[in-house]
Amino acid sequence: MKMLMLAAAALIAAPVAAAPAKKPVKPRPAAARVVKPAVETPAPDTPEVQALRRAFHYAFPVYEMMRTRAGVVTRAQAAGASGVNMIFARKRLADATTRDVTTPNNDTLYATAWLDLANGPVTLTVPDLAGRYNSAALMNLFTDNVAILDSRTGGGGTYTIAGPGFAGKAPEGTTLVKLDTNDAWLLVRVYVNGAADLDAAGAAIDRYTLSGGGAAVPMVAVPTATPDAPTLLAVVNEALGRSGIAPRHADLGIRPGVSDAWAELPPETRKLWTDTLPALRRELKGGFAQVGTVVDGWSYPGPGIGNFSDDDAGRAAVALGGLAALPRQEAVYLSASADKDGAPLTGAKAYTVKIPPRPPVGAFWSLTLYKVEPDGRLFFIDNPLSRFSIGSGSRSIHYERDGSLDIFVQQTRPSGERVVNWLPAPPGPFRLVWRAYLPKAELLDGSFRLPPVVATEVVP
């Protein structure tokens, strides 16, 4: 198994001598500079824009999958590997430098494999990691979780993972898992129960193995972080064509296998894409909050997260704000962007988040803080403690007598023993995400609710 381990210029001005003044002149204070936030113009609500929005929602998750794939493959190729049909383990927890995938967790190690099943299946061996949460999520090109192979499926196993064109039988002793697209993403998570457990978790994730697969078909179109319309269509059309996906939104340029669809569009359609694409992307910035019901400031995801069926709008929002989200039966993600009074969360204030006693989870839970980037993606912030989350596995945290936990979210470090419950915040806007792995019935049926985030005085 191969593992992927993932000038400032100064201007110096020469001093200039000034002629002496007869009388000292007291300078006037400079006027304060007022910086107004950029005005974000929404897309007009015309029939043409509504149709383009539907096409964009369909295309964007595919683009994000291929953009993420390209990052892994490029780094692997620089190290002399193909980067496809190989599993790469990251044996350290994500931190403030992690930019591979939006909204990373700080609870598990990751192993990732980008699969190209066009020329044959691969074989995945899932180890028996009794007592340690682990999962292997298999996602198709549209980000849907086709299968979750994990601690609940029992005792590990060997799986033959095949694409839509596979007509054979799985080898004896293996279980066939068939995907509906040739390009797929295998994402493994293995729980780390504190820093002292990191080496053992690393040894556990190494026991996942991947073998087989035919020759990978290289991608020609090159994704960028924030694509223009021609790049978006080129990447998406090539990806769809690799799996023989039937055309949808062809009049707007989404034509599987057509590399120059942009050039074939009439000028008015190209102008519509160019003028509207930035606004359509901004509409997705709500992430998880756009696919759920908000109660006391927390967004509770609907039943379709991780498997969106025909909900392209929800799929697109999560692709930007939570790519590779697991289905609710595996993990529940609650997100908060506002306090109990509806005011946006910001590092200019201090907050307390109360976690009730004994949340109904079968594996573990965590509360993670993310800075909201201008493009809507979520990442950790650098902080003096390198602390990005607090959870059921955190060491030395202080619980109340009733078993509840008060987490202090603020910029400044509390003094004394209260620092153990401190979750550092950035100066500006941020978002909180509470994860619950292997949720129990109370979380799935809505009878368990988190209390709202409460603005408080700064904890000194």
Side-chain angles (χ1 to χ4, degrees):
M1 178 186 302
K2 296 188 177 181
M3 290 167 286
L4 180 67
M5 307 297 295
L6 295 177
L11 297 177
I12 303 176
V16 179
K22 294 181 179 180
K23 294 182 180 180
V25 179
K26 186 176 181 180
R28 293 182 180 181
R33 183 185 176 193
V34 178
V35 180
K36 295 182 179 180
V39 176
E40 296 185 345
T41 305
D45 194 26
T46 64
E48 294 79 11
V49 170
Q50 291 172 3
L52 191 71
R53 180 181 290 112
R54 290 190 292 271
F56 173 69
H57 288 166
Y58 174 73
F60 183 72
V62 175
Y63 184 89
E64 284 297 282
M65 287 285 280
M66 300 312 284
R67 184 187 64 80
T68 306
R69 177 190 188 273
V72 172
V73 170
T74 299
R75 289 191 296 273
Q77 290 176 342
S82 72
V84 178
N85 295 338
M86 306 172 68
I87 191 165
F88 299 95
R90 181 190 180 105
K91 294 199 287 187
R92 63 183 179 88
L93 291 170
D95 57 23
T97 66
T98 304
R99 289 291 190 273
D100 300 335
V101 180
T102 183
T103 327
N105 78 51
N106 187 238
D107 312 301
T108 72
L109 297 182
Y110 287 106
T112 190
W114 285 94
L115 309 181
D116 184 343
L117 305 172
N119 291 318
V122 297
T123 301
L124 172 69
T125 299
V126 176
D128 181 2
L129 302 180
R132 182 186 295 276
Y133 173 83
N134 66 108
S135 64
L138 279 166
M139 290 164 279
N140 66 11
L141 181 61
F142 296 96
T143 76
D144 290 333
N145 289 269
V146 176
I148 306 289
L149 313 172
D150 63 4
S151 43
R152 287 196 297 185
T153 61
T158 303
Y159 300 87
T160 296
I161 302 170
F166 181 73
K169 295 182 179 180
E172 186 175 352
T174 73
T175 300
L176 179 64
V177 179
K178 196 167 181 179
L179 285 97
D180 52 354
T181 60
N182 285 320
D183 289 301
W185 186 10
L186 168 68
L187 188 61
V188 174
R189 297 170 174 89
V190 171
Y191 181 56
V192 181
N193 190 16
D197 186 43
L198 190 58
D199 288 344
I205 205 167
D206 274 346
R207 293 173 59 191
Y208 276 85
T209 64
L210 188 69
S211 61
V217 180
M219 279 284 294
V220 176
V222 179
T224 60
T226 305
D228 57 14
T231 302
L232 175 75
L233 293 181
V235 171
V236 170
N237 285 337
E238 183 175 356
L240 295 174
R242 290 160 62 93
S243 291
I245 304 298
R248 283 182 59 186
H249 310 289
D251 59 324
L252 294 170
I254 301 179
R255 302 169 184 176
V258 179
S259 60
D260 57 351
W262 177 257
E264 297 176 0
L265 291 176
E268 59 271 20
T269 304
R270 294 200 297 267
K271 185 177 188 303
L272 181 66
W273 268 112
T274 301
D275 293 348
T276 313
L277 182 57
L280 295 179
R281 185 184 175 92
R282 287 195 299 269
E283 292 176 356
L284 302 180
K285 286 185 178 181
F288 287 118
Q290 293 182 217
V291 294
T293 302
V294 177
V295 179
D296 289 334
W298 290 99
S299 177
Y300 290 77
I305 192 167
N307 285 299
F308 291 92
S309 185
D310 58 355
D311 182 11
D312 290 336
R315 182 184 287 110
V318 173
L320 179 65
L323 185 66
L326 292 163
R328 290 174 73 246
Q329 291 75 15
E330 188 70 22
V332 166
Y333 308 88
L334 310 185
S335 66
S337 300
D339 64 17
K340 74 179 185 67
D341 297 318
L345 300 180
T346 170
K349 298 180 181 180
Y351 305 91
T352 296
V353 179
K354 180 175 283 292
I355 307 299
R358 297 170 295 282
V361 299
F364 65 93
W365 65 264
S366 66
L367 179 73
T368 308
L369 186 148
Y370 297 96
K371 178 183 178 182
V372 182
E373 299 292 333
D375 66 359
R377 294 189 178 99
L378 306 178
F379 297 110
F380 298 141
I381 62 158
D382 195 16
N383 65 82
L385 298 185
S386 293
R387 179 182 292 165
F388 312 107
S389 65
I390 290 177
S392 53
S394 298
R395 299 291 188 266
S396 304
I397 51 179
H398 174 73
Y399 287 88
E400 301 300 311
R401 289 186 178 182
D402 64 355
S404 65
L405 176 66
D406 288 338
I407 299 175
F408 309 126
V409 181
Q410 58 187 49
Q411 277 195 75
T412 55
R413 174 177 179 147
S415 60
E417 64 180 14
R418 287 172 292 191
V419 73
V420 300
N421 287 24
W422 177 42
L423 191 55
F430 63 87
R431 190 170 300 165
L432 295 170
V433 175
W434 189 76
R435 290 175 168 87
Y437 285 79
L438 303 187
K440 295 183 178 179
E442 299 93 323
L443 259 170
L444 296 175
D445 65 18
S447 57
F448 173 85
R449 300 295 191 190
L450 279 182
V453 179
V454 179
T456 59
E457 297 294 326
V458 172
V459 176

